[in-house]
Amino acid sequence: MGCMVNGAGLAMSTMDIIKLAGGEPANFLDVGGGASAETVANGFRILLSDKNVKAVLINIFGGIVRCDRVAAGVVEAAKKVNINVPVVVRLQGTNAEEAAEILNKSGLSFAVAKDLKEAAEKVVATVK
Amino acid sequence: MSILIDQNTRLLVQGITGGEGSFHTKQMIEYGTKVVAGVTPGKGGQKFDGKIPVFNTVAEAVDKEGANEVGIMPGFIHREGNVGVISRSGTLTYEAVYQLTQLGIGQSTCIGIGGDPIIGTNFVDALELFEKDAETTAVVLIGEIGGTAEEEAAAYVKDHVTKPVVSFIAGRTAPPGRRMGHAGAIISGGHGTAAEKMAALQSAGITVVQNPAEIGQTVKQILAQNI
């Protein structure tokens, strides 16, 4: 499972919970405090360049990072990068509601999760 | 009562004129924070939002306005209450706070101590303050791999803290020898592992949470047991 998370502690925890849910985390990727469309697209490229990655979990808790920007970035990235694995997106925090709207209106088939447990279970379920 | 800062704190924002700084400053002002000064080197003399003076250095701002500076947390996930939170992480703290708030459990004060190996306020400092704070009834301690801060906290709690402490340590799946984002988050020479820290905390009577999604739930159980 590829992970794209903001913040090192949350990124480590995301790897931990994927393992607890029965999956294998593929990487540690901290998008940091300024996630933009470009950063997210690059994140996807990095994750998808690993042949072992069978699914991607984006877990963003926005404080400095604004969830709507990440959502816009995810939508943009999906246009530029050929994403051929299931993606689960969990966005919470600053502008989370706007983010959900953006994702819902995008027509993308990404699964959306609200909390951490749901996010981990959903991503692990995609490869079972 | 919150420890360290409260509604009377006179706040200084570093980078107030930048894209991120201005966005978050506006949110802080809306929340009711007393933002009294900003700092952007080279922009001293300007006014943010027409009201808040901008200085070239922190020293100048503190000198002229008597301000303090803190970090960034999304306001709406927080709720007033009695659980103190101390953490080495930023966004993992939001996750823990969010879980608590969702369960109706409010926070007295949330302190992010940062992920560097050398820091200002540490776990022990914060624990001491929470132990003395009449409004704090329990403490959540969020740690991660690397260093010995959690082990030191455990030793302190054993001898000096009577309030229940719940802890989560991030990085059980972290590979040894790799720096995981934070400068201080690295398992080196076989030491600083999550397992070691969890064992030390447990032996001090601290409740250690295995799953990061269960931090809030565990605190709820502990609070119920301690009435």
Side-chain angles (χ1 to χ4, degrees), chain B residues 18-37:
Chain B
E20 299 300 338
S22 52
F23 175 78
H24 289 284
T25 302
K26 289 201 173 89
Q27 297 224 318
M28 285 190 259
I29 293 170
E30 260 173 51
Y31 194 80
T33 308
K34 287 202 172 107
V35 180
V36 300

Side-chain angles (χ1 to χ4, degrees), chain A residues 5-17 19-21 25 28 30 33-34 59 61-66 69 90 92-96 114-117, chain B residues 19-20 23-24 27 72-74 76-77 89-92 94-95 98-99 102 144-145 168-175 179-182 185 210-214:
Chain A
V5 187
N6 68 318
L10 191 59
M12 285 191 271
S13 304
T14 304
M15 292 168 68
D16 294 344
I17 201 176
K19 187 95 196 213
L20 285 167
F28 171 88
D30 177 359
N59 181 18
F61 210 116
I64 302 173
V65 170
R66 293 178 230 183
R69 278 199 189 159
R90 185 265 180 146
Q92 195 53 262
T94 307
N95 293 355
K114 271 202 84 184
D115 64 46
L116 191 52
K117 186 166 191 232
Chain B
E20 299 300 338
F23 175 78
H24 289 284
Q27 297 224 318
I72 297 181
M73 297 181 181
F76 72 93
I77 62 170
S89 165
T91 52
L92 180 54
Y94 307 160
E95 176 67 45
Y98 177 71
Q99 287 178 27
Q102 291 294 105
E144 55 194 42
I145 54 162
F168 172 72
I169 304 298
R172 277 168 77 188
T173 53
R179 198 171 303 277
M180 308 292 281
H182 288 155
Q210 305 289 325
N211 187 322
E214 289 167 12

